[in-house]
């Protein structure tokens, strides 16, 4: 609706009040004439020339008020020059002291400038909506987002200059109208679908790691905030399903974050949690998401009915698609995870499309749906902060956003296979790659950065093996690993100044070697013997050994492969099944 029609008092579509300012890249509010008169906004050269023929004589209206016709004003770029009095229809005269006439510059429409250039990520259906919403009625949306205080389980704030990890949690809690038939009856809301989204510091890549709900883990003790402000410690569990880290016994999302850290070694900064309504409302807000199946689907349990090939799903049908288990693969949770990853990739591409991003009305609907669907930690509980999270995510190219699943094997303790355990031959390396920003899509810039960092720590002279003084502690390796490593180093490698110092205070996902600056040559020798990468070397302080002499500390992590087996063997691409956000795949 143009400004002249608004001037005649016609009702304005809220979506049309927001326009993209090409100078700042942000949406700004275009006020109607009555509202504009209460604001003071200097005129730009473009706005001045575009409205010169309809400008009122000097003194004919309030200073800074909207010109006749209600044309919008931009940011000030020149000193205001009052229009000259002239006869109606006469040519515009130049201001005093200037030669010639100023040629009117008409702004050219450019659809490309209206696009926010989203590239998205694994949970772009949440983040893109929030980012777009950040440019709209912020105060209204602020009240939509629910927050949970997770205390020390996450970061105290969001940093634009660091790597960050967000735990995306989909619960099976049966809340909201129309959800009575979903989830476990009486469930307090387990972690039914969990994805750890890690964004690299240099924004060259991101990884979305799906965590199976039936993975056997250790759930640590969890401090939780009560409604009265007090804190309650929920006791941990040993050898329990991962999905029990949320909901049961009052465990909050902070407990799930602590469980991820405990079992993977990956630091979790923030969380975003949504229930069944999220998929329904968000897919409806973007007019559906394209999916593809290799064979026709008629699942009586989830009520999903689809023909072979491509289809569009939204609302109830979209929820059925991500929940169905009987129609794909072996009808198990791991196969359902693959389908969910394909769905999220498609949804992310829909969010990135110009059809969505150039439509203010769709963005408004998406903003409402996304913020109402979310519960987040307090550190990112403001819409403006969620917008910042999304803007950092959009910097990652879709081809470098990898979807993968925690490497697992069937639980050997079960006769009837119902749960899974970590695959110790692959999982530690995957966790190490994510924690250290190593891309699963082989980003050249990141590879060079990793090689440079390793070369810097490993470059230099190496002490003789007999001069290496080291304490060996077990920080998560198989029982007895420290003693076997001690024997190997002393007998096979000549590292005679070594000793078994027992168990580490806490378990680690990866093996590390901490040393003082004057022990760098010893560290390089031991790294060569053990096959330690540069990232495993931790400059720090020495610790006195049993003779009271300064020694390095070698902590054997969960990635330790055995005495005499080098640790720096790379993870081959074939070892980890993955997909990327830019590829279209059909569920099978």
């Amino acid at each position: 609706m143009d400004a002249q029609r608004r001037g005649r008092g016609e009702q304005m579509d809220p979506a049309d009040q927001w326009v993209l300012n090409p100078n700042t890249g942000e949406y700004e509010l275009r006020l109607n004439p009555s509202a504009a008169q209460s604001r003071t906004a200097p005129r730009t050269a473009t706005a001045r020339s575009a409205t010169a023929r309809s400008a009122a004589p000097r003194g004919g209206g309030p200073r800074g008020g909207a010109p006749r016709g209600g044309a919008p004003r931009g940011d000030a770029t020149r000193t205001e020059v009052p229009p000259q009095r002239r006869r109606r229809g006469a040519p515009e005269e130049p201001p005093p002291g200037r030669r010639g006439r100023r040629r009117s510059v008409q702004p050219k429409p450019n659809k490309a400038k209206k696009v926010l250039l989203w590239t998205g990520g694994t949970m772009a259906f949440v983040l893109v909506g929030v980012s777009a919403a950040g440019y709209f009625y912020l105060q209204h949306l602020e009240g939509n987002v629910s927050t949970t205080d997770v205390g020390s389980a996450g970061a105290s704030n969001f940093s634009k200059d660091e790597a960050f990890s967000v735990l995306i949690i989909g619960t099976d809690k049966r809340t909201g109208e129309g959800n009575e038939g979903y989830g476990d009856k009486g469930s307090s809301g387990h972690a039914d679908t969990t994805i750890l989204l890690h964004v690299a510091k240099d924004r060259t890549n991101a990884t979305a790691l799906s965590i199976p709900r039936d993975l056997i883990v250790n759930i640590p003790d969890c401090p939780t905030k009560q409604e009265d402000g007090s804190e309650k410690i929920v006791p941990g569990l040993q050898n329990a399903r991962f999905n029990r880290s949320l909901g049961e016994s009052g465990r909050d999302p902070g407990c799930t974050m602590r469980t991820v850290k405990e079992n993977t070694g990956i630091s979790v900064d923030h969380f975003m949690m949504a229930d069944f309504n999220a998929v329904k409302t968000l897919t409806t807000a973007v007019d559906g998401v394209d999916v593809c199946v290799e064979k026709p689907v008629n699942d009586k349990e989830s009520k999903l009915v689809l023909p072979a090939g491509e289809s569009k799903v939204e609302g109830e049908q979209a929820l059925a698609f991500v929940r169905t288990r009987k129609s794909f693969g072996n009808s198990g949770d791991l196969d359902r995870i693959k389908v969910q990853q394909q769905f999220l990739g498609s949804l992310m591409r829909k969010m990135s499309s110009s059809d969505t991003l150039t439509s203010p009305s769709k963005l408004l609907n998406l903003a409402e749906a996304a913020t109402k669907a979310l519960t987040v930690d307090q550190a990112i509980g403001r819409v403006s902060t969620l917008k910042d999270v999304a803007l950092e995510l959009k910097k990652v190219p879709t081809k470098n956003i990898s979807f993968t699943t925690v490497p697992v094997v069937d639980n050997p303790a079960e006769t009837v296979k119902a749960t899974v355990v970590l695959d110790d031959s692959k999982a530690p390396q995957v966790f190490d790659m994510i924690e250290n920003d190593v891309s699963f899509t082989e980003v050249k810039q990141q590879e060079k950065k990793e090689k440079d960092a390793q070369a810097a720590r490993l470059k230099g002279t190496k002490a003789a093996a007999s001069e290496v003084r080291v304490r060996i502690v077990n920080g998560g390796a198989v029982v007895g690993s420290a003693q076997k490593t001690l024997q190997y180093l002393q007998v096979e490698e000549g590292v005679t100044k070594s000793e078994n110092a027992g168990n580490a205070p806490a378990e680690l996902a990866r093996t590390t070697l901490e040393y003082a600056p004057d022990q760098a040559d010893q560290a390089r020798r031991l790294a060569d013997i053990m096959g330690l990468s540069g990232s495993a070397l931790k400059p720090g302080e020495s610790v006195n050994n049993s003779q009271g002499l300064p020694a390095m500390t070698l902590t054997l992590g969960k990635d330790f492969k055995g005495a005499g087996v080098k640790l720096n063997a790379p993870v081959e691409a074939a070892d980890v099944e993955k997909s990327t956000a830019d590829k279209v795949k059909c569920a099978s």
Side-chain angles (χ1 to χ4, degrees):
M1 184 180 294
D2 59 33
Q4 292 181 350
R5 290 171 64 190
R6 291 199 305 274
R8 292 197 296 268
E10 294 188 26
Q11 186 67 31
M12 186 179 189
D13 188 326
D16 291 336
Q17 290 182 289
W18 295 92
V19 296
L20 186 70
N21 184 338
N23 296 323
T24 64
E26 296 192 359
Y27 280 92
E28 297 177 352
L29 181 63
R30 178 191 293 173
L31 296 171
N32 57 39
S34 61
Q37 291 179 4
S38 64
R39 296 168 60 93
T40 300
R43 303 169 64 184
T44 63
T46 301
R48 187 165 55 248
S49 60
T51 58
R53 289 184 175 84
S54 61
R58 187 164 45 196
R63 177 174 296 182
R68 290 180 183 174
R73 302 186 187 279
D75 296 332
T77 58
R78 301 188 185 181
T79 304
E80 178 70 21
V81 179
Q84 308 298 306
R85 291 181 179 273
R86 57 184 175 87
R87 296 186 303 276
R88 183 178 298 276
E92 182 180 1
E93 296 180 1
R98 293 186 180 269
R99 295 181 180 179
R101 60 182 297 181
R102 178 179 299 162
R103 185 169 56 187
S104 176
V105 179
Q106 297 295 334
K108 297 180 180 180
N110 185 351
K111 288 186 177 180
K113 288 185 178 180
K114 294 182 179 180
V115 180
L116 295 180
L117 302 176
W118 277 100
T119 56
T122 180
M123 287 299 286
F125 71 97
V126 171
L127 299 179
V128 172
V130 170
S131 179
Y135 297 108
F136 296 90
Y137 46 106
L138 183 63
Q139 294 303 315
H140 166 71
L141 295 177
E142 204 74 69
N144 287 350
V145 182
S146 300
T147 64
T148 297
D149 184 358
V150 296
S152 61
S156 59
N157 55 42
F158 175 72
S159 174
K160 298 180 182 180
D161 302 319
E162 299 294 335
F164 64 93
S165 294
V166 181
L167 194 65
I168 311 297
I169 306 171
T171 77
D172 58 3
K173 190 173 184 179
R174 305 194 320 173
T175 57
E177 184 178 354
N179 293 326
E180 296 81 5
Y182 302 130
D184 298 328
K185 186 175 182 180
S187 171
S188 55
H190 291 125
D192 190 56
T193 300
T194 307
I195 298 176
L196 179 64
L197 173 63
H198 178 81
V199 181
K201 181 176 180 178
D202 62 6
R203 308 304 188 243
T204 59
N205 67 90
T207 301
L209 181 70
S210 293
I211 303 175
R213 68 178 187 176
D214 295 325
L215 174 65
I216 296 300
V217 297
N218 292 329
I219 300 174
D221 293 344
C222 180
T224 59
K225 294 286 186 180
Q226 305 301 299
E227 292 184 1
D228 60 3
S230 63
E231 185 174 272
K232 174 185 177 182
I233 304 295
V234 180
L237 296 171
Q238 298 293 310
N239 297 319
R241 276 183 167 89
F242 176 84
N243 67 344
R244 296 176 66 185
S245 65
L246 178 71
E248 185 177 304
S249 301
R251 294 186 180 94
D252 64 10
C255 298
T256 309
M257 297 168 70
R258 295 176 192 273
T259 302
V260 171
K261 173 66 175 178
E262 172 84 8
N263 292 272
T264 69
I266 302 173
S267 300
V268 183
D269 302 304
H270 309 287
F271 84 88
M272 294 182 181
M273 183 172 67
D275 59 17
F276 292 132
N277 281 326
V279 175
K280 294 192 291 186
T281 58
L282 291 169
T283 53
T284 300
V286 296
D287 293 337
V289 174
D290 295 326
V291 298
C292 180
V293 294
E294 290 187 356
K295 298 179 294 184
V297 175
N298 188 354
D299 190 339
K300 295 181 180 179
E301 185 172 321
S302 68
K303 299 180 176 58
L304 177 66
V305 179
L306 290 176
E310 296 185 359
S311 301
K312 180 183 288 187
V313 296
E314 66 177 277
E316 295 285 350
Q317 196 176 28
L319 180 58
F321 184 83
V322 298
R323 293 190 67 248
T324 189
R325 300 175 63 175
K326 304 299 183 182
S327 301
F328 306 116
N330 296 320
S331 302
D333 188 53
L334 295 180
D335 291 301
R336 184 177 67 162
I337 286 175
K338 296 177 185 178
V339 174
Q340 291 172 345
Q341 291 172 346
Q342 294 165 15
F343 175 83
L344 294 176
S346 179
L347 186 50
M348 181 275 303
R349 290 191 295 273
K350 183 63 177 287
M351 296 297 176
S352 305
S353 69
S354 59
D355 179 59
T356 299
L357 297 173
T358 58
S359 172
S361 60
K362 284 186 179 180
L363 290 177
L364 281 171
N365 292 336
L366 188 57
E368 288 284 351
T371 52
K372 287 180 179 178
L374 283 174
T375 298
V376 302
D377 57 287
Q378 290 185 339
I380 58 173
R382 297 184 63 84
V383 173
S384 58
T385 306
L386 288 169
K387 178 201 72 175
D388 290 338
V389 173
L391 290 176
E392 292 305 308
L393 178 60
K394 80 164 188 174
K395 296 177 182 178
V396 183
T398 53
K399 65 180 181 179
N400 293 336
I401 299 173
S402 301
F403 295 86
T404 190
T405 304
V406 172
V408 296
V409 295
D410 287 336
N411 189 348
E414 296 176 335
T415 302
V416 178
K417 303 304 180 184
T419 63
V420 293
V421 296
L422 290 178
D423 183 344
D424 290 331
S425 68
K426 297 179 181 179
Q429 294 170 311
V430 170
F431 301 153
D432 181 77
M433 290 174 69
I434 294 174
E435 180 71 6
N436 291 281
D437 282 3
V438 179
S439 173
F440 285 78
T441 53
E442 300 177 352
V443 181
K444 292 182 178 180
Q445 181 180 353
Q446 186 63 38
E447 287 182 343
K448 182 177 184 302
K449 178 181 177 182
E450 281 295 310
K451 290 178 180 178
D452 289 346
Q454 292 181 16
R457 293 181 181 178
L458 298 174
K459 186 176 181 180
T461 59
K462 299 180 180 70
S466 60
E467 296 302 319
V468 174
R469 187 179 289 111
V470 59
R471 301 167 61 252
I472 307 168
V473 296
N474 193 330
V478 175
V479 175
S481 293
Q483 184 61 32
K484 290 179 180 179
T485 300
L486 174 66
Q487 294 173 351
Y488 165 75
L489 290 178
Q490 290 184 341
V491 177
E492 302 292 334
E493 298 293 342
V495 184
T496 56
K497 297 178 181 179
S498 52
E499 65 181 33
N500 182 351
N503 293 326
E507 293 187 352
L508 299 179
R510 57 192 301 271
T511 299
T512 61
L513 175 62
E514 184 175 2
Y515 58 95
D518 60 354
Q519 297 171 322
D521 57 343
Q522 297 182 46
R524 286 189 285 268
R525 172 60 64 190
L526 192 58
D528 184 57
I529 294 172
M530 298 286 297
L532 298 175
S533 66
S535 60
L537 271 59
K538 303 295 183 184
E541 298 178 353
S542 61
V543 178
N544 288 342
N545 62 13
S546 58
Q547 285 82 38
L549 299 174
M552 301 183 295
T553 300
L554 175 66
T555 304
L556 305 179
K558 295 178 180 179
D559 63 340
F560 183 70
K561 303 174 183 178
V565 182
K566 292 185 180 293
L567 284 157
N568 57 354
V571 176
E572 300 292 339
D575 286 346
V576 180
E577 185 175 356
K578 67 180 188 299
S579 61
T580 53
D582 62 326
K583 303 296 184 183
V584 178
K585 296 186 69 175
C586 292
S588 60

